[in-house]
Amino acid sequence: MPVDYEPSSNSPAQIDSNSFAEKDHQSQDAFRAGEDVGHSDAVLDANAENCLLDDNVEIADDDVEDVYVERDSTYSFFDNITLKEGLRYIAITKNLPRSTINMLLALLRRKLKLRLPADARTLLKTPTQVGLEIQPILGGHFWYQGIEYVLMTHFNNTTPRVDRFRAQIFIDGLPLFNSSARQLWPILMKVVELPEAPVMLVGVFCGHTKPDNVEGFLRPLVTEANDLQKRGLQFGEKNVRFKLHMFVADSPARCFAKATISYVGRNSCLKCTCEGTQVGRKIVFEDADAQLRTDLGFRGREDQKHHKAWKSPLEDIDELDMIKDIIIADGLHVRDLGVSKKIATGIFNHTFARFGKWTDTQKETVSSFLMKIQLPGEIQRRFRHIKFSGFWKGTEYRSFLFYASVIIYKDFMWEEAFQHYLLYFCAHTIFATKTHKHFWPQAKMMFKEFLKGFANIYGREHITSNVHNLIHIYDDCDRFGSMEEISTYDFENHLQLLKRLMRSGNRCTEQVITRSREIETLKKATNIVPTKFPTLIGTGSGLRLRCDFYLMMGFRNAWFLTTDNHVVEFLSAKEVSNSYFTIEGSQFESNEELFNLRKTVDNFPIQLSSSDIFIYKI
């Protein structure tokens, strides 16, 4: 059956015969081998590396042939670069030690008589005298290369196609070694208008604790940001306006940057004046109707208990709203490693008093069910046994929330608890994409009702700051976009790259600078030629719709939803004309809703069918 190509459709997870499909579902983590580094000096396919398949991922038997097709096309960019460029690309992306590179160069020179450098530093264009750029500050060493430098380096004398840059700034701490307290505190940046550009390292602090002085750590950023917001960035004859768009971080880093009390303090909420209550040894945050904080009130210290004795340099950034522009709606920390993890581990491990204890047989049955779920190819991390749920990564909890939680919890929750959980599930599904933006106000009420009913279902002592922060997600999304657009996943992936760059415990700051400068030579905008989507895979056995989403024959990647809400199994594709494709598939005769949410919030009825957010049982 031919169907029209719908670019916003995405492939659903398949769960035996009772599955559900999801249109334009949440963008999944595409962190694959080598993804965090860029491209060679030669012109490369902008998405070649992002589409690499992880060698450690299990591949189903019926997908093996498709994987070989994918890998062959992935490495095709080597056809357009020299051997020297290819060696440099591999050495940097795989973080090969200098001794290994030297041995490889010697082997190629001696056996193939090739004209190659004798030393790895020449091949990699390793910078020299980086130690001169490092400044001592209280608690450690600080290196700041600046926003303007990284952007000018990225564009490498080319002119941006956009007229403004809106920067997302991220800060966080990163422990480097298990046997040492040494840690990095990088300042990272992404530009909203440059989705194909990598995360950029603006500066980094290295010490045995977090920076003792927020002033010394953030002042260079504040000074430069104000300067750039006034004059812009000059690329030839074109001036590009600059705006420090928002700050994103986890709870401890947000409190550090804003100079407020710890996120577990009574007056710690960054968005409202809710005052926490002590329950046992915990501070819980039950108030869903507290007055919202304002930028004027924050700067005027209206709530003295909310602030530290010193002032944050961020308050000196022109046009930065200290409440609205420092966000909490981060899917990784608030949702995946926050509330979703709390609920899942609490149910699995019998932390919640009202939930029955699972038997070993039940745990094995659920784990077996999870591990058999065939997630689509863009989700590389498969489910593990629930006995390892305490060690699940954020991406595992994200997949569990959107693909499996509703099906599993329906069998282990009483009706009131399940309807309460549907508030959480539906609200996150809605805020995960602009496709459902018309439901955002309704989702805001869902989170509010979820907070109010949380104590009755899970226990009052479990209402942590993450649970409370759910009621503030709407304000951040309404200002900046869906939760996937303001997620910290890209930043956290870059943190892990920085950690992998460490080859010893000596001169850590110098190592970060050197490796980062080497990587920057691959990530320049002049090296990026954006791939045009959609594109055929092979002779029509598949269709790549985005870098991280493709339709292909085989159970995992064949399913999609049409614009008239029919679930279809992909069979083949062909290009009818330029950028117009016809997909042939087998359509299910019927589908039905998976659940129906019915709640009353503040005398306002909430009625939502799963089909309203494109989730079906087939």
Side-chain angles (χ1 to χ4, degrees), residues 572-608:
S572 65
K574 62 181 178 179
E575 187 170 7
V576 179
S577 60
N578 186 32
S579 299
Y580 183 83
F581 296 82
T582 295
I583 300 173
E584 300 224 351
S586 178
Q587 178 181 302
F588 279 87
E589 292 182 353
S590 63
N591 54 49
E592 58 185 276
E593 67 178 17
L594 181 68
F595 58 78
N596 197 306
L597 172 63
R598 296 184 182 275
K599 278 280 185 179
T600 300
V601 181
D602 296 335
N603 297 320
F604 184 86
I606 292 179
Q607 295 185 4
L608 187 76

Side-chain angles (χ1 to χ4, degrees), residues 194-396:
L194 305 174
E196 74 284 355
V199 172
M200 301 176 185
L201 180 65
V202 175
V204 64
F205 167 87
C206 183
H208 289 93
T209 63
K210 70 179 181 181
D212 290 341
N213 187 346
V214 67
E215 174 70 26
F217 180 58
L218 291 178
R219 179 56 63 182
L221 175 72
V222 171
T223 302
E224 185 183 21
N226 281 335
D227 179 47
L228 293 178
Q229 289 186 150
K230 292 175 182 176
R231 64 177 175 87
L233 292 103
Q234 198 69 33
F235 297 88
E237 297 181 356
K238 182 175 183 178
N239 185 270
V240 178
R241 291 175 288 120
F242 178 85
K243 176 72 167 65
L244 205 157
H245 191 46
M246 68 177 181
F247 273 82
V248 56
D250 62 7
S251 294
R254 286 196 298 265
C255 296
F256 167 71
K258 293 186 66 172
T260 60
I261 64 172
S262 169
Y263 67 98
V264 295
R266 288 181 181 270
N267 300 81
S268 60
C269 181
L270 300 180
K271 297 291 187 177
C272 74
T273 57
C274 168
E275 184 168 342
T277 305
Q278 185 154 354
V279 177
R281 300 176 62 182
K282 298 180 179 179
I283 301 295
V284 300
F285 303 88
E286 303 171 276
D287 193 350
D289 300 299
Q291 182 179 354
L292 295 178
R293 298 189 188 275
T294 64
D295 180 65
L296 185 63
F298 183 92
R299 296 174 186 273
R301 301 298 189 270
E302 289 182 355
D303 184 359
Q304 291 285 346
K305 297 179 181 179
H306 182 61
H307 299 268
K308 290 284 182 69
W310 53 89
K311 176 183 173 182
S312 169
L314 298 184
E315 294 188 45
D316 295 331
I317 297 180
D318 297 335
E319 301 179 11
L320 180 74
D321 191 305
M322 291 296 294
I323 304 302
K324 295 180 180 179
D325 292 339
I326 300 177
I327 68 167
I328 56 90
D330 165 30
L332 172 60
H333 296 104
V334 172
R335 181 189 65 201
D336 302 331
L337 294 179
V339 182
S340 291
K341 181 177 181 178
K342 173 178 283 291
I343 293 175
T345 55
I347 292 176
F348 297 160
N349 302 322
H350 192 48
T351 302
F352 304 132
R354 293 195 65 187
F355 287 79
K357 185 176 181 179
W358 287 16
T359 66
D360 291 341
T361 300
Q362 288 174 322
K363 291 181 180 179
E364 289 298 325
T365 301
V366 170
S367 297
S368 176
F369 173 79
L370 276 177
M371 292 186 289
K372 288 180 180 178
I373 293 177
Q374 296 195 40
L375 295 167
E378 63 266 24
I379 307 174
Q380 295 233 325
R381 193 181 290 276
R382 292 187 173 186
F383 291 121
R384 290 183 282 173
H385 197 287
I386 63 173
K387 67 182 178 183
F388 302 118
S389 59
F391 302 97
W392 282 6
K393 301 294 186 181
T395 52
E396 291 173 278

Side-chain angles (χ1 to χ4, degrees), residues 405-452:
S405 66
V406 168
I407 296 170
I408 291 175
Y409 289 159
K410 191 172 185 178
D411 291 334
F412 289 92
M413 289 182 173
W414 63 99
E415 182 60 24
E416 179 190 4
F418 184 66
Q419 284 289 315
H420 180 262
Y421 179 78
L422 286 180
L423 292 168
Y424 178 78
F425 171 83
C426 292
H428 273 306
T429 301
I430 290 168
F431 279 123
T433 171
K434 286 184 177 178
T435 300
H436 300 315
K437 191 170 183 177
H438 57 290
F439 283 129
W440 283 7
Q442 190 169 344
K444 177 184 180 180
M445 291 192 295
M446 292 180 188
F447 275 144
K448 185 176 180 180
E449 182 66 16
F450 180 77
L451 173 61
K452 288 182 175 180

Side-chain angles (χ1 to χ4, degrees), residues 63-194:
D63 291 335
V64 169
E65 183 176 349
D66 297 332
V67 169
Y68 288 138
V69 171
E70 285 300 295
R71 284 184 170 160
D72 183 63
S73 61
T74 295
Y75 298 123
S76 62
F77 65 87
F78 281 128
D79 297 338
N80 302 318
I81 63 177
T82 66
L83 174 63
K84 182 178 177 180
E85 291 166 341
L87 289 172
R88 186 160 158 267
Y89 178 84
I90 293 172
I92 294 177
T93 60
K94 299 305 178 184
N95 194 26
L96 297 181
R98 187 185 303 170
S99 59
T100 301
I101 302 171
N102 287 338
M103 290 176 64
L104 180 61
L105 291 173
L107 177 64
L108 293 174
R109 287 198 313 272
R110 291 173 181 271
K111 294 298 184 182
L112 300 180
K113 309 300 180 184
L114 299 175
R115 297 186 61 183
L116 293 171
D119 190 89
R121 288 169 290 188
T122 305
L123 177 71
L124 303 181
K125 300 181 180 179
T126 302
T128 60
Q129 297 182 328
V130 294
L132 300 177
E133 305 173 18
I134 301 172
Q135 302 295 324
I137 66 171
L138 193 62
H141 295 88
F142 184 57
W143 170 69
Y144 185 81
Q145 62 176 342
I147 296 171
E148 185 171 18
Y149 174 86
V150 296
L151 286 172
M152 290 297 183
T153 301
H154 175 70
F155 282 97
N156 193 29
N157 299 322
T158 62
T159 302
R161 65 179 184 275
V162 297
D163 297 319
R164 67 171 178 172
F165 290 151
R166 290 176 295 165
Q168 300 176 349
I169 300 295
F170 171 88
I171 64 172
D172 198 5
L174 176 70
L176 292 177
F177 310 104
N178 294 330
S179 58
S180 171
R182 191 178 296 275
Q183 55 188 272
L184 293 178
W185 277 75
I187 302 175
L188 303 178
M189 180 181 73
K190 280 182 63 179
V191 178
V192 176
E193 286 75 21
L194 305 174

